[in-house]
Amino acid sequence: MPGHSRLARLLQWTCAIQLGAAVAWLAWRWTASPVQAIAGALSILLIAPIVLGLELCIVAVVARTDHATPIPAAAQLLRAWLSESAYWYRTFCWRQPFRWNTLADQPSSASQRTGVVLVHGFMCNRGFWTPWMRMLRQRGHPYVAVNLEPVFTGIEDYARTIDDAVCQLTEATRSPPVLVCHSMGGLAARAWWRSTRGNRSVARIVTIGTPHRGTWLARFSRRPNGRQMQLQSAWLEQLSAHEAGQPLPVTTCWYSNCDNVVFPASTATLPLADNRFVPGRAHVDLAFDETVMRGTLALLTETSSRRQGESVTGSHAEIG
């Protein structure tokens, strides 16, 4: 497990500044107008839900151009906004800044279950996966949750981090792991796969809300990894061109029509993948949706069973 997280420190400072600004405004305006003081402080503390709401309004408009996915209904967008707002505070104000190292990696296990490499997305760290780590521990799946740092760099720069995790799990379990990736993490996994030149093996790649073909929202980014996630970017086209000669392992893509970060929704799919649509879920919300978590766990169980079956068949062959 990484010994530090620059992203955690950045989020700690962000939370402290936001809270300090709200308290300062409350103290400054209270004597003049308690109502104004409370309203201003709440506005500062609710910046994230306001931004999320604006993003979902854009989703509602852009979704009309995506004929491959159902247009989200108003009720779906409202539910997505409420859930995503709650997850934002839970994820970016608690798990990632303050609890990112609470659960250590568990690269080995007494069970014969498939190992999992957890790969987070943009502006996140391993704390994002806390509920997944608990679930994997309970089910006896070995896992390693990586930290992709530096935060702002080219996506291909994360390949070494992923490779180290894959090698660690492969050595510990003596079998290829499954990569479970959220958002930009799915692109980092594809960049890693390109870097291996076919010299590594994984049982499956699972992506959740990954901008495989870019996202409309990335047009506002000036960061290297943000620019790479722009719609039909040259980097994404090069990645796809390489995969024509070195196809990805079996891949499952979870996506939603209410994703406030990766849209139009169909950009989160791949042509030859097992694309699974989950309606009405926002970007972070999608990663913790019951359908996604149970469905991915079922894929892990299927992989474990197949591996055990092959092991038994191999043993019988040796005896024969």
Side-chain angles (χ1 to χ4, degrees):
M1 186 176 71
H4 68 281
S5 170
R6 294 179 181 176
L7 190 277
R9 184 60 57 86
L10 176 61
L11 291 178
Q12 290 168 9
W13 277 105
T14 301
C15 292
I17 290 171
Q18 187 175 16
L19 182 60
V23 171
W25 176 272
L26 191 68
W28 178 48
R29 300 304 301 168
W30 184 263
T31 302
S33 171
V35 173
Q36 187 182 100
I38 294 173
L42 288 176
S43 297
I44 294 171
L45 295 175
L46 295 175
I47 289 176
I50 292 171
V51 172
L52 293 174
L54 291 173
E55 289 175 349
L56 286 167
C57 287
I58 298 172
V59 168
V61 175
V62 175
R64 298 172 186 171
T65 66
D66 188 4
H67 303 296
T69 309
I71 297 174
Q76 287 181 316
L77 291 167
L78 177 59
R79 185 246 170 241
W81 174 69
L82 291 172
S83 183
E84 189 74 354
S85 296
Y87 270 114
W88 192 91
Y89 287 106
R90 197 178 305 168
T91 303
F92 291 93
C93 297
W94 180 240
R95 288 176 184 160
Q96 295 188 149
F98 303 108
R99 307 287 290 176
W100 69 273
N101 58 354
T102 300
L103 293 177
D105 292 335
Q106 186 172 285
S108 60
S109 172
S111 73
Q112 296 297 314
R113 297 186 183 275
T114 300
V116 181
V117 177
L118 298 167
V119 188
H120 63 76
F122 185 67
M123 285 295 292
C124 290
N125 63 21
R126 68 186 302 279
F128 179 90
W129 295 109
T130 300
W132 282 78
M133 288 189 275
R134 291 198 183 103
M135 179 184 73
L136 294 173
R137 279 173 175 259
Q138 291 171 358
R139 299 298 197 281
H141 286 279
Y143 68 85
V144 172
V146 302
N147 268 357
L148 301 182
E149 293 193 353
V151 177
F152 305 114
T153 188
I155 297 173
E156 63 278 358
D157 293 342
Y158 301 130
R160 179 61 182 273
T161 299
I162 295 174
D163 194 58
D164 289 344
V166 169
C167 290
Q168 183 181 6
L169 273 173
T170 301
E171 182 178 351
T173 64
R174 296 184 180 181
S175 64
V178 168
L179 271 60
V180 177
C181 318
H182 179 248
S183 193
M184 183 195 74
L187 296 180
R190 290 173 62 191
W192 163 78
W193 179 250
R194 178 174 61 178
S195 75
T196 67
R197 300 180 181 179
N199 294 322
R200 291 283 188 269
S201 179
V202 290
R204 179 186 292 266
I205 296 176
V206 177
T207 69
I208 306 168
T210 290
H212 288 296
R213 286 177 280 159
T215 171
W216 188 95
L217 201 61
R219 66 186 60 201
F220 300 110
S221 178
R222 295 296 177 265
R223 302 296 185 178
N225 39 7
R227 291 197 301 268
Q228 288 173 325
M229 290 187 282
Q230 292 176 358
L231 288 171
Q232 298 178 336
S233 71
W235 186 82
L236 288 172
E237 290 181 357
Q238 292 167 6
L239 200 60
S240 296
H242 181 271
E243 289 162 2
Q246 184 184 321
L248 289 169
V250 177
T251 302
T252 297
C253 302
W254 297 97
Y255 70 108
S256 176
N257 59 343
C258 287
D259 192 319
N260 56 297
V261 173
V262 179
F263 59 91
S266 61
T267 60
T269 65
L270 284 170
L272 301 179
D274 170 23
N275 297 305
R276 302 191 179 190
F277 176 62
V278 183
R281 298 295 179 179
H283 191 60
V284 175
D285 183 20
L286 180 63
F288 304 105
D289 176 74
E290 185 176 354
T291 298
V292 174
M293 295 184 75
R294 285 189 175 183
T296 302
L297 186 63
L299 293 174
L300 294 175
T301 302
E302 175 188 319
T303 302
S304 298
S305 299
R306 184 170 62 249
R307 190 187 75 192
Q308 291 172 8
E310 291 172 352
S311 177
V312 171
T313 301
S315 298
H316 288 169
E318 289 180 6
I319 294 172

